[in-house]
Amino acid sequence: MDPQTQPPADIMERLETAEQLKLGGKHCEALTILEDLLVEDPENVAALEEVADNELSLERMDRAEAAAKEAITLDTESYTAHYILGFLESQHEKWTSALVHLKKSNILKPNNPEILRCLGWVLFHAGERAQGIVTLERALNLESDNPLTLCDLGVTYLELKNFGKARSLFQRSLDLDPGNDRARECVQAINRLERTVEEMRK
C-alpha cells in the first residue's frame, strides 16, 4: 500500500482493537468500535469489511450482506466482501452467483484456505465436481487441521460413494474436534450405507 494512502495511526489502532475483539469472539464490542469509525468516515472500506465479518459470525446475514455490498460499491477489489457475499449466496444454494463472488475473491487473494474451501464446495455443487474436489484438497493442503474443510471434503466423497475416503476425512475431523456433530452424523450415515450395501449383496 502507498504510505500516503495508509489510514491515520489512530484509525489503524482502532481497527486492530476491533480485530482482536473479533478473534476473541467479542463481536458486539468489535462492532461498537467499527460503527463509531463508520460514523466518522462512512467510506472506510476496512471497517465495512470487518462489520460484515462480525455480523456473519453473529449469524445476522442481512446486516452482513448489506455491509459487504457497501464495501464492494466503494472498492470492487474487496476480496473480503466478495468472499462474504459468495458464502451468503452458497447458504441459499445460489451456486452460480456464489461462484462469481468466490472466483473474484480467489483471484484477489490467492491461496487463502477459507476462500478455497468455500469455492471448492460451491464448484462441486455447481456441477464442476472434479474441480470442486481439487480446490477443497488445495484448501486442506494449506490448512490440514481445519475440521470444516475435512468435513466439506468428506461430504463430497460421500456423495461420490467413496466411503473409505469420506470416513477417513470425517474421522480426522473428529480427532481434531470431538464435539463435531456434523462429522459424527456423517460417520453414522456411512455405517448405515455400508450395512445396506452389504445386505443387498447377500
Side-chain angles (χ1 to χ4, degrees):
M1 183 182 280
D2 183 339
Q4 292 177 327
T5 63
Q6 188 85 10
D10 70 309
I11 290 176
M12 292 295 290
E13 197 173 301
R14 287 153 75 189
L15 283 168
E16 180 58 32
T17 301
E19 175 74 9
Q20 292 306 315
L21 286 166
K22 179 183 78 173
L23 293 173
K26 296 178 178 177
H27 301 292
C28 292
E29 290 93 326
L31 282 166
T32 300
I33 293 171
L34 296 165
E35 284 161 2
D36 285 346
L37 278 170
L38 287 168
V39 168
E40 296 165 28
D41 177 12
E43 296 190 357
N44 186 323
V45 174
L48 282 164
E49 291 171 342
E50 286 296 307
V51 166
D53 206 6
N54 279 284
E55 295 289 10
L56 194 60
S57 296
L58 292 168
E59 297 186 0
R60 298 196 299 216
M61 305 308 189
D62 289 349
R63 293 166 70 98
E65 183 180 10
K69 281 183 172 175
E70 183 63 23
I72 284 176
T73 300
L74 295 166
D75 178 10
T76 56
E77 305 287 280
S78 168
Y79 76 86
T80 301
H82 280 292
Y83 160 74
I84 287 170
L85 289 175
F87 174 80
L88 289 169
E89 295 283 22
S90 75
Q91 295 296 289
H92 298 294
E93 299 187 1
K94 294 179 179 175
W95 307 120
T96 305
S97 51
L99 265 185
V100 172
H101 287 296
L102 290 168
K103 282 182 174 178
K104 175 80 169 173
S105 184
N106 185 49
I107 289 166
L108 294 166
K109 184 76 171 176
N111 299 318
N112 177 289
E114 180 57 23
I115 293 169
L116 287 169
R117 178 180 78 82
C118 286
L119 177 58
W121 180 255
V122 170
L123 281 165
F124 185 87
H125 288 90
E128 297 179 46
R129 290 188 154 198
Q131 190 60 41
I133 286 178
V134 167
T135 307
L136 281 165
E137 293 277 13
R138 272 186 62 211
L140 192 60
N141 285 337
L142 290 165
E143 195 174 37
S144 60
D145 58 353
N146 186 325
L148 289 171
T149 308
L150 287 161
C151 271
D152 282 358
L153 193 53
V155 168
T156 62
Y157 279 114
L158 184 55
E159 288 193 29
L160 295 174
K161 297 185 171 54
N162 186 336
F163 298 147
K165 181 77 173 171
R167 183 194 294 281
S168 69
L169 289 160
F170 292 131
Q171 198 55 60
R172 271 177 65 197
S173 181
L174 282 170
D175 291 343
L176 291 162
D177 178 14
N180 189 323
D181 290 335
R182 183 186 179 202
R184 186 177 295 103
E185 285 165 12
C186 287
V187 169
Q188 290 168 355
I190 291 170
N191 291 340
R192 285 195 301 274
L193 286 164
E194 287 184 334
R195 278 198 301 272
T196 304
V197 170
E198 279 176 29
E199 284 166 12
M200 287 171 68
R201 285 178 179 157
K202 286 178 182 174

